[in-house]
Amino acid sequence: MSKETYELKAEARERVGKGSSRELRRNGLIPAVIYGDKQAPISIAISTNEITKRIHGGGFMTTIATIDVDGKKYKVLPKDYQLDPVRDFTMHVDFLRVSANSNVTVEIPVHFINEDKSEIKTGGVLNIVRHTIEANVPANQIPDAITVDLEGLKIGDSVHISQIKLPKAVTPTITDRDFTVATIVPPVVDVVEDDAVAAEADAADVAEDEDKSE
């Protein structure tokens, strides 16, 4: 199941816009919004350090949180965040309100096990087609990951979604095809090395031709 829930402190913000957002960031805060559940959105400011720590801690997008906004608490699920393209710090976060009956759409990470019990051990290469799987799931049952067992797979085999034992209540959003999650492919040939060998052979041929012409 998803990581243990956590609580964040926030304050409501009246002013919005680029100027207000820049001022918040100078003061160690991030502008954010809480929306959804058929209620009006709430603009908030939240600690940059706390959000950064949660993002880098893993599971941020699949873990329910409680946000305390000036004493009023909201159950939320992070739905999106924006990073500065140059300095790579968090610029903004969107939170979706959730309740015990909420169903949400999330990107669940895919984890692979038993690589050493497949032909990967003897030279095959795991080609991951999907690092995450988008799925519908009850908000209180979001798993940390979807596990794919590679035991017994050979070079040339593919893993389709129908072959994976999904966690309880997880339903992929793609339903019109049995999509591929990963394949095991032959080892990649070292093209650079082959080119070097070919170049040496060509040079030797040229030298031999020159010797014959003398």
Side-chain angles (χ1 to χ4, degrees), residues 55-76:
I55 290 173
H56 292 302
F60 181 63
M61 302 295 286
T62 57
T63 303
I64 299 295
T66 299
I67 297 183
D68 184 333
V69 184
D70 300 329
K72 187 171 182 178
K73 297 185 177 184
Y74 301 87
K75 290 281 187 187
V76 300

Side-chain angles (χ1 to χ4, degrees), residues 51-119:
I51 287 294
T52 302
K53 180 173 70 175
R54 295 295 175 181
I55 290 173
H56 292 302
F60 181 63
M61 302 295 286
T62 57
T63 303
I64 299 295
T66 299
I67 297 183
D68 184 333
V69 184
D70 300 329
K72 187 171 182 178
K73 297 185 177 184
Y74 301 87
K75 290 281 187 187
V76 300
L77 178 70
K79 290 299 292 181
D80 193 20
Y81 61 90
Q82 289 83 46
L83 299 177
D84 183 276
V86 177
R87 290 170 287 178
D88 198 36
F89 64 82
T90 312
M91 298 279 292
H92 188 273
V93 186
D94 293 339
F95 295 99
L96 176 69
R97 290 187 188 90
V98 297
S99 64
N101 300 320
S102 296
N103 276 280
V104 294
T105 301
V106 292
E107 293 277 352
I108 305 173
V110 179
H111 289 177
F112 297 89
I113 61 172
N114 289 328
E115 291 187 25
D116 60 337
K117 296 180 180 179
S118 71
E119 286 196 352

Side-chain angles (χ1 to χ4, degrees), residues 14-40:
E14 304 258 336
R15 294 172 54 219
V16 295
K18 292 184 178 180
S20 173
S21 296
R22 283 195 293 267
E23 183 179 351
L24 287 175
R25 296 186 190 106
R26 283 196 297 268
N27 294 324
L29 298 172
I30 294 172
V33 64
I34 300 173
Y35 71 97
D37 201 26
K38 299 179 181 179
Q39 299 180 48

Side-chain angles (χ1 to χ4, degrees), residues 112-130 148-160 163 180-188:
F112 297 89
I113 61 172
N114 289 328
E115 291 187 25
D116 60 337
K117 296 180 180 179
S118 71
E119 286 196 352
I120 293 172
K121 185 178 181 180
T122 57
V125 177
L126 178 62
N127 174 43
I128 301 174
V129 178
R130 293 179 182 271
V148 177
D149 191 347
L150 301 172
E151 183 174 356
L153 295 184
K154 303 182 184 303
I155 292 174
D157 286 346
S158 298
V159 181
H160 296 91
Q163 299 167 253
T180 302
V181 177
T183 59
I184 298 181
V185 298
V188 177

Side-chain angles (χ1 to χ4, degrees), residues 120-195:
I120 293 172
K121 185 178 181 180
T122 57
V125 177
L126 178 62
N127 174 43
I128 301 174
V129 178
R130 293 179 182 271
H131 290 271
T132 63
I133 293 174
E134 187 181 71
N136 296 315
V137 61
N140 60 354
Q141 296 184 53
I142 303 172
D144 285 330
I146 291 173
T147 301
V148 177
D149 191 347
L150 301 172
E151 183 174 356
L153 295 184
K154 303 182 184 303
I155 292 174
D157 286 346
S158 298
V159 181
H160 296 91
I161 189 63
S162 62
Q163 299 167 253
I164 300 171
K165 185 177 180 180
L166 296 174
K168 183 180 179 182
V170 171
T171 304
T173 56
I174 297 175
T175 58
D176 61 342
R177 63 187 185 278
D178 190 14
F179 59 86
T180 302
V181 177
T183 59
I184 298 181
V185 298
V188 177
V189 177
D190 193 339
V191 177
V192 174
E193 183 177 338
D194 286 351
D195 286 346

Side-chain angles (χ1 to χ4, degrees), residues 200-211:
E200 286 182 16
D202 289 343
D205 289 342
V206 169
E208 186 178 348
D209 291 341
E210 288 176 348
D211 289 339

